[in-house]
Amino acid sequence: AYVRWISDNDAKDLFIYGIEGMYDTVEQLTYTSHKETTLTVTIDDDITKIPSKAFKGFSQMTTISIPATVESIASVDVFDECDSLTAINVAESEWYRSDSGVLIDKQQHTLMKYPVARPAESYTIAEDITVLGERSFESSKHLTTIEITAGIATINQYAFRYCQSLASFTVATGNTKFTTNGNDGVLYEKLTGESESWKMIQYPLKKEGDKYT
């Protein structure tokens, strides 16, 4: 397998193509020399996998377009330090899709990555999603509210870490695993047992008020 690339428009647009998928180690991805200038990335439809840390540090990249041929996206660290990313656009396939620029793993019913610079202030998780992936919303700049829909059964660690504008959560009435305990905006996991109890999952960094009990 090998990968080739073309950088155009004064190194602002990056086009990646290859045979049988990208390299497995980021050290081999020579296009990363353009990570400080690239604004858009387009992956050609002869690419089948995207390895770990493939776009780490592409701090100016605003959008990336992923073809339907991609069968494997290694993990959330593919987009580490992509501080300007507003949309991960995916041509829908049996493996992945995009929900208005948010990366979804269709096979695992998992929200993989919410772009950190996506401009929306609120987001309602799609009804078919049951899992929020590790670090899925990490470092979101603009989100103030997130609605946890009824189907969400698993929230992995650090899902909401460093969400600097987040002020509140809402949880759909039909969700049996999570709650906001009287709509206080704080996200809790419902614990099983004889008495009703909760474990705090996330206290929003921008929640209003000076005190919390």
Side-chain angles (χ1 to χ4, degrees):
Y2 68 89
V3 64
R4 294 180 178 178
W5 53 269
I6 300 170
S7 185
D8 202 1
N9 189 20
D10 295 326
K12 294 178 181 178
D13 303 322
L14 185 66
F15 180 75
I16 299 172
Y17 62 102
I19 294 178
E20 298 178 359
M22 290 185 180
Y23 285 116
D24 290 330
T25 57
V26 72
E27 289 78 14
Q28 293 171 295
L29 301 179
T30 57
Y31 63 79
T32 56
S33 61
H34 292 277
K35 66 183 180 181
E36 295 180 357
T37 59
T38 296
L39 300 182
T40 67
V41 172
T42 301
I43 299 174
D44 196 26
D45 60 9
D46 49 15
I47 297 295
T48 60
K49 64 179 179 177
I50 300 175
S52 176
K53 301 179 182 178
F55 299 101
K56 181 177 180 179
F58 275 67
S59 59
Q60 304 303 311
M61 178 175 67
T62 60
T63 61
I64 182 169
S65 298
I66 298 172
T69 52
V70 169
E71 304 172 6
S72 172
I73 299 175
S75 66
V76 71
D77 67 6
V78 166
F79 304 107
D80 274 1
E81 300 171 24
C82 292
D83 299 332
S84 303
L85 189 61
T86 62
I88 303 167
N89 298 315
V90 183
E92 186 163 354
S93 67
E94 62 181 289
W95 300 286
Y96 299 99
R97 68 179 178 87
S98 179
D99 178 31
S100 299
V102 179
L103 179 61
I104 306 295
D105 182 332
K106 291 177 64 177
Q107 297 287 315
Q108 304 298 322
H109 301 283
T110 298
L111 189 154
M112 286 186 66
K113 185 61 179 176
Y114 184 97
V116 298
R118 189 173 184 267
E121 293 185 356
S122 64
Y123 182 70
T124 300
I125 296 164
E127 294 290 342
D128 60 329
I129 301 303
T130 60
V131 179
L132 300 185
E134 183 177 347
R135 299 169 53 207
S136 48
F137 288 87
E138 183 182 60
S139 299
S140 168
K141 296 180 179 181
H142 304 296
L143 270 179
T144 61
T145 61
I146 299 174
E147 181 178 349
I148 307 296
T149 40
I152 298 297
T154 302
I155 298 177
N156 284 299
Q157 64 179 349
Y158 311 129
F160 308 108
R161 185 168 64 173
Y162 309 139
C163 290
Q164 61 193 41
S165 300
L166 189 59
S168 67
F169 292 92
T170 61
V171 178
T173 304
N175 191 296
T176 60
K177 291 293 296 291
F178 301 98
T179 182
T180 52
N181 188 22
N183 297 317
D184 67 1
V186 180
L187 183 62
Y188 303 89
E189 181 181 0
K190 298 177 182 178
L191 301 179
T192 57
E194 295 183 1
S195 60
E196 191 175 60
S197 58
W198 303 273
K199 178 178 74 174
M200 185 184 291
I201 299 296
Q202 186 70 43
Y203 186 95
L205 290 179
K206 288 293 184 178
K207 179 175 166 56
E208 294 182 355
D210 298 327
K211 297 181 180 180
Y212 180 74
T213 303

